[in-house]
Amino acid sequence: MNKRHITSAVSQLFGKFANKEFPHWFQKIVNYSYVKLMGLDMSEFHDPGTYKSLNALFTRKLKEPRKFSLDAEDFIAPCDSLITECGRLIEDYALQIKGMRYKTDNLLGKNFTQAEKDYVHNGEFVNFYLSPKDYHRYHIPMNLQVLKAVHIPGKFYPVNIPSLKKRLNLFIENERVVLLCKTQEGKYFYIILVSALNVGVMKVSFEPRIQTNADAEEEQVYLFENLYLDKGEDFGCFEMGSTIVILAQEDMLELLVKENDKVKFGDTIAKYNSK
């Protein structure tokens, strides 16, 4: 068995601490300290002292559902995040951050056919960075069908702005879960969950067999029949902040956001072209 990367060991160690349920008095200190240190806005959530572990605080759910547009043409943000980059793919090249590009064919891994990878060539991409203070759950951006999920083991390098600027192919090196999705009109796009340092787990609620930051060394493929998810549906969470990348078929999305925009889950970030 190959020796696991140090970033994986660090993330696992932090995960054990975050999952530990300390005595209530001490857990309150941990939780309130984290909220103050990171500057969390808890106005939409329960009191920090009510969460039984730091991880329960990380993966907190909204007290009340957020409202968002039900118009089929409105493509919504899947998470609370910073748009670190977005725009048009040049063939299969996307920007990790300004001045640093990578090949999306490599990001998608070896378990998608070239035809499946070609779906998004010359299309649109959006990179969503979730900081440690953000709401860590992710949601479905439009009504869709999930065709395939691929878990790609990898490293756990930080994905914050300084790291994006200094490490080429960061998204490709890190562990990720890639979802191939299809719209009702037959257009294709990908939702890619990218790990980061201290992100011990990326949860995918509709496929509990996906176990990230585990002992898997080979890509794992999951195929689905008749798996339809609705816009706004909660489909999992990061345990700590990380990144989501969306890659869309050419002429599918007209982006309404730009680099450095701060968005919240439910905001309309693009117009969907159904034709």
Side-chain angles (χ1 to χ4, degrees):
M1 182 176 293
N2 294 334
K3 184 178 180 181
R4 305 196 68 204
H5 195 265
I6 184 64
T7 55
S8 175
V10 170
S11 295
Q12 284 191 335
L13 184 63
F14 183 83
K16 288 181 180 179
F17 171 79
N19 281 304
K20 174 73 173 176
E21 294 186 9
F22 294 103
H24 181 64
W25 67 269
F26 184 69
Q27 191 67 58
K28 286 179 68 175
I29 294 173
V30 171
N31 292 357
Y32 281 112
S33 297
Y34 183 81
V35 167
K36 184 175 182 180
L37 178 66
M38 293 297 178
L40 270 64
D41 179 358
M42 296 294 293
S43 60
E44 294 181 276
F45 307 96
H46 294 290
D47 185 271
T50 64
Y51 297 97
K52 294 185 177 181
S53 68
L54 193 56
N55 187 49
L57 175 63
F58 292 156
T59 59
R60 62 196 180 275
K61 293 187 176 183
L62 295 161
K63 281 196 298 186
E64 301 292 337
R66 278 196 196 150
K67 294 181 179 179
F68 53 84
S69 171
L70 299 177
D71 190 324
E73 293 185 353
D74 289 340
F75 188 95
I76 65 172
C79 55
D80 291 12
S81 58
L82 175 72
I83 306 293
T84 53
E85 263 300 351
C86 62
R88 181 169 291 278
L89 290 157
I90 307 301
E91 295 180 351
D92 70 325
Y93 281 98
L95 287 176
Q96 177 174 290
I97 203 162
K98 193 175 295 296
M100 296 181 68
R101 65 178 191 166
Y102 66 92
K103 292 175 71 69
T104 59
D105 281 7
N106 294 335
L107 180 71
L108 299 176
K110 62 185 180 183
N111 278 294
F112 290 97
T113 66
Q114 190 57 53
E116 289 172 330
K117 293 176 179 179
D118 288 348
Y119 289 149
V120 296
H121 285 195
N122 298 306
E124 304 292 332
F125 74 95
V126 187
N127 302 341
F128 304 86
Y129 168 63
L130 294 79
S131 76
K133 71 178 182 180
D134 283 321
Y135 168 59
H136 298 336
R137 306 198 70 83
Y138 29 79
H139 299 255
I140 298 298
M142 66 176 297
N143 294 345
L144 56 80
Q145 179 183 3
V146 179
L147 303 176
K148 182 191 292 190
V150 178
H151 170 216
I152 305 174
K155 298 169 184 174
F156 294 83
Y157 291 120
V159 293
N160 53 28
I161 301 298
S163 297
L164 290 175
K165 288 181 177 179
K166 70 181 181 182
R167 185 174 290 279
L168 186 64
N169 290 330
L170 176 57
F171 293 161
I172 294 170
E173 289 194 57
N174 274 14
E175 181 169 31
R176 55 206 184 276
V177 176
V178 183
L179 308 178
L180 174 58
C181 307
K182 185 179 180 181
T183 71
Q184 184 178 354
E185 293 76 22
K187 298 194 174 187
Y188 296 91
F189 68 102
Y190 291 92
I191 301 174
I192 301 127
L193 311 174
V194 183
S195 72
L197 188 68
N198 293 336
V199 182
V201 176
M202 296 180 284
K203 296 279 190 182
V204 180
S205 57
F206 58 79
E207 186 45 86
R209 290 178 296 171
I210 296 176
Q211 297 292 321
T212 60
N213 200 6
D215 292 326
E217 295 180 4
E218 297 297 324
E219 296 187 13
Q220 301 293 317
V221 180
Y222 306 87
L223 301 176
F224 306 100
E225 292 185 12
N226 302 315
L227 177 56
Y228 295 91
L229 301 174
D230 294 332
K231 182 194 288 189
E233 192 169 335
D234 181 331
F235 74 100
C237 60
F238 290 119
E239 296 187 357
M240 205 61 172
S242 197
T243 289
I244 294 176
V245 178
I246 287 180
L247 307 175
Q249 185 174 329
E250 186 176 8
D251 297 328
M252 174 180 152
L253 296 180
E254 178 189 347
L255 298 182
L256 304 177
V257 290
K258 62 185 183 302
E259 178 191 359
N260 293 326
D261 280 355
K262 193 77 172 70
V263 299
K264 300 190 77 172
F265 151 60
D267 291 347
T268 298
I269 61 165
K271 288 293 184 180
Y272 168 60
N273 177 17
S274 61
K275 297 179 180 179

